[in-house]
């Protein structure tokens, strides 16, 4: 069914079904994105010359500065990868189904 500007109109029941179908896809994409982000963070940390092991917040031998830099870098990488994976997944769903997955 199409509404005003040629957009597909979906019922609440159809949206619920789409959401349920997208959930496992989103979970798999999230796991793959987490693995990718972890790998990218390890490479980025090594590239900034800080060694292969990123500091843990409770690592007594590491400085505050080093711990906070690692946390900021890790957060930026994980957030960027998550946004890219979520957006890519939603775009793929739209190409397959003609509708955008939504939490609404």
């Amino acid at each position: 069914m199409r509404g005003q500007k040629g957009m597909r109109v979906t019922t609440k029941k159809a949206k619920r079904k789409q959401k349920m179908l997208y959930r496992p896809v989103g979970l798999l994409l999230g796991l793959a994105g987490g693995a990718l982000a972890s790998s990218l963070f390890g490479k980025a940390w090594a590239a900034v010359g800080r060694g292969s092991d990123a500091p843990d917040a409770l690592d007594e031998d590491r400085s505050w500065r080093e711990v906070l830099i690692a946390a900021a870098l890790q957060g930026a990488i994980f957030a960027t990868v998550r946004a890219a994976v979520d957006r890519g997944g939603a775009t793929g769903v739209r190409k397959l189904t003609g509708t955008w997955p939504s939490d609404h």
Side-chain angles (χ1 to χ4, degrees):
M1 174 187 220
R2 299 219 179 246
Q4 289 181 354
K5 301 181 180 180
M7 302 291 286
R8 184 178 282 187
V9 177
T10 56
T11 64
K12 285 184 181 183
K13 191 174 185 179
K15 283 186 179 186
R16 227 178 293 129
K17 185 178 179 182
Q18 279 183 328
K19 189 175 180 181
M20 292 297 291
L21 291 172
Y22 182 71
R23 192 168 282 160
V25 173
L27 180 63
L28 290 174
L29 289 173
L31 290 171
L36 175 63
S38 182
S39 174
L40 289 174
F41 172 66
K43 290 177 183 179
W45 188 253
V48 296
R50 301 288 187 174
S52 61
D53 273 350
D56 182 75
L58 299 178
D59 190 347
E60 190 176 19
D61 299 329
R62 302 290 184 99
S63 69
W64 272 86
R65 182 173 186 230
E66 191 174 17
V67 168
L68 295 180
I69 288 170
L73 179 62
Q74 185 178 36
I77 290 171
F78 272 77
T80 301
V81 169
R82 179 174 181 191
V85 167
D86 285 348
R87 189 68 180 198
T91 302
V93 166
R94 175 178 265 165
K95 286 180 181 178
L96 290 173
T97 67
T99 59
W100 190 263
S102 176
D103 287 336
H104 306 303

